[in-house]
């Protein structure tokens, strides 16, 4: 049913898709042709970045890994085929002996328009023509070195092989934040180039965060097992007053002690504080 004056869709509800689906459907069915989005614009609507991302992230059993990868590649393909994307080619020379820092330096110096180009990788002092393999090799080695040779990731000991999140800190320097920003740019360009990020580098929660998902207690268990275990023990124990904890441990008032009466209030923000707030500037 349509409103005859606004031509907007009426009397449509969906507990799954919500407002983004209604808004997109209304635009697609608009009487005014100039107001209807193109196919490319429709695919990039927030409906697909909210509801469908939530489905892929939190409802894995509904879709096989292969189907999720195919869906991701199709969306990336649509974005890459936009008229203003992937314009031309850019040769990027990389020193393999100093690969991580060299990639950081190169990517941080590029203009925004450079990232719309296909990168043609040349390793200094090495023969070979990049038909896609050298680009993939550069990304793989970059993320491997990020995990194993730099101080920028906190590593979860429980995950085998180890995977990381941006290192937590009470104060990041400007150069450190510049590096984190460039790591994000490399990650985005890697995805736009339809290359897979090595699965052993980042903790699964990082991708949930990038997809706008809320962290769960399970995410805390996976990344900081000891903290999760002690939090669970606190909730099932009495006499918590004797543990000498304060709300400062979850980013709250350092003068407020944790007691049996307020321990649930203390536990609620623990997941978000440990996984997000302690490293938010880096994220």
């Amino acid at each position: 049913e349509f409103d005859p004056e606004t031509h907007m869709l009426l009397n449509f509800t969906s507990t799954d898709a919500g407002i983004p689906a209604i808004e997109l459907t209304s635009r697609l069915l608009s009487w005014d042709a100039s107001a209807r989005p193109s196919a490319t614009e429709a695919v990039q609507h927030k409906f697909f970045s909210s509801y469908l991302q939530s489905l892929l992230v939190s409802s894995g059993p509904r879709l096989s890994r292969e189907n999720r990868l195919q869906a991701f590649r199709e969306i990336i393909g649509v974005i890459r085929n936009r008229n203003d994307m992937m314009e031309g080619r850019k040769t990027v020379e990389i020193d393999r002996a100093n690969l991580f820092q060299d990639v950081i330096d190169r990517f941080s110096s590029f203009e925004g328009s450079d990232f719309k180009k296909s990168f043609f990788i040349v390793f200094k002092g090495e023969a070979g023509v990049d038909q896609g393999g050298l680009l993939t090799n550069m990304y793989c080695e970059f993320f491997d070195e990020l995990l194993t040779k730099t101080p920028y990731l906190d590593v979860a000991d429980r995950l085998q092989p180890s995977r990381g999140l941006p290192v937590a800190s009470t104060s990041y320097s400007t150069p450190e934040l510049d590096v984190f920003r460039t790591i994000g740019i490399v990650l985005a360009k890697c995805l736009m180039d339809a290359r897979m990020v090595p699965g052993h580098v980042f903790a699964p929660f990082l991708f949930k965060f990038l997809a706008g998902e809320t962290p769960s207690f399970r995410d805390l268990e996976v990344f900081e097992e000891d903290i999760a275990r002690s939090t669970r023990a606190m909730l099932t124990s009495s006499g918590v007053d004797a543990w000498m904890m304060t709300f400062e441990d979850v980013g709250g008032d350092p003068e407020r002690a944790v007691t049996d009466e307020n321990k649930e209030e203390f536990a609620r923000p623990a997941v978000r504080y440990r996984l997000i707030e302690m490293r938010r500037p880096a994220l």
Side-chain angles (χ1 to χ4, degrees):
E1 180 182 353
F2 287 88
D3 184 317
E5 295 184 1
T6 64
H7 296 155
M8 295 297 288
L9 193 65
L10 301 175
N11 298 331
F12 178 89
T13 59
S14 170
T15 56
D16 290 329
I19 293 176
I22 299 174
E23 198 273 339
L24 175 59
T25 304
S26 296
R27 290 187 59 195
L28 290 171
L29 297 177
S30 173
W31 289 106
D32 182 359
S34 65
R36 292 196 293 268
S38 66
T40 298
E41 291 171 336
V43 170
Q44 297 179 66
H45 188 271
K46 60 184 177 181
F47 165 71
F48 293 102
S49 63
S50 56
Y51 170 65
L52 291 186
Q53 280 185 351
S54 176
L55 177 64
L56 292 178
V57 171
S58 62
S59 304
R62 298 188 188 182
L63 294 171
S64 68
R65 178 176 181 273
E66 291 72 22
N67 287 340
R68 279 182 282 170
L69 285 175
Q70 181 61 32
F72 171 77
R73 287 175 178 140
E74 289 177 358
I75 293 175
I76 289 296
V78 169
I79 297 174
R80 284 167 57 88
N81 289 330
R82 281 173 40 185
N83 292 334
D84 61 341
M85 292 300 293
M86 309 314 291
E87 301 172 345
R89 189 178 77 171
K90 182 177 182 63
T91 298
V92 182
E93 189 176 41
I94 299 295
D95 180 5
R96 192 188 295 273
N98 189 34
L99 189 142
F100 177 83
Q101 189 58 51
D102 206 28
V103 170
I104 291 291
D105 293 342
R106 300 283 182 180
F107 275 62
S108 62
S109 68
F110 292 158
E111 300 291 336
S113 59
D114 291 328
F115 295 106
K116 296 181 179 180
K117 300 177 181 178
S118 297
F119 284 180
F120 182 83
I121 301 302
V122 176
F123 285 111
K124 293 180 180 178
E126 297 183 20
V129 177
D130 189 5
Q131 298 296 329
L134 296 182
L135 178 65
T136 300
N137 183 236
M138 180 199 72
Y139 285 130
C140 288
E141 290 197 24
F142 174 83
F143 288 117
D144 278 339
E145 291 191 15
L146 169 63
L147 177 68
T148 61
K149 298 182 180 181
T150 78
Y152 298 112
L153 294 184
D154 277 339
V155 175
D157 293 334
R158 184 184 179 199
L159 294 175
Q160 298 298 326
S162 295
R163 301 175 188 175
L165 288 176
V167 65
S169 175
T170 57
S171 178
Y172 297 92
S173 68
T174 298
E176 287 175 330
L177 291 177
D178 288 342
V179 171
F180 283 118
R181 178 178 180 275
T182 305
I183 291 171
I185 291 173
V186 177
L187 177 59
K189 179 60 174 168
C190 177
L191 296 176
M192 283 301 300
D193 286 339
R195 297 308 195 272
M196 298 301 297
V197 178
H200 64 277
V201 176
F202 296 113
F205 163 69
L206 178 67
F207 297 99
K208 291 182 66 175
F209 175 82
L210 294 177
E213 292 292 313
T214 301
S216 65
F217 194 80
R218 174 59 180 165
D219 293 317
L220 183 63
E221 287 182 315
V222 167
F223 191 72
E224 291 192 303
E225 184 180 15
D226 291 342
I227 296 296
R229 185 187 299 113
S230 64
T231 301
R232 192 181 297 278
M234 177 198 67
L235 291 173
T236 57
S237 302
S238 59
V240 172
D241 310 55
W243 293 25
M244 304 297 290
M245 296 188 302
T246 72
F247 275 72
E248 183 179 19
D249 295 332
V250 291
D253 185 355
E255 302 298 324
R256 186 183 181 191
V258 181
T259 66
D260 287 339
E261 288 71 29
N262 63 24
K263 62 185 180 182
E264 291 186 4
E265 181 184 351
F266 170 85
R268 280 194 293 270
V271 172
R272 184 176 184 85
Y273 180 72
R274 299 293 304 186
L275 296 179
I276 297 178
E277 301 305 333
M278 290 177 63
R279 63 195 85 242
R280 179 175 286 281
L283 286 168

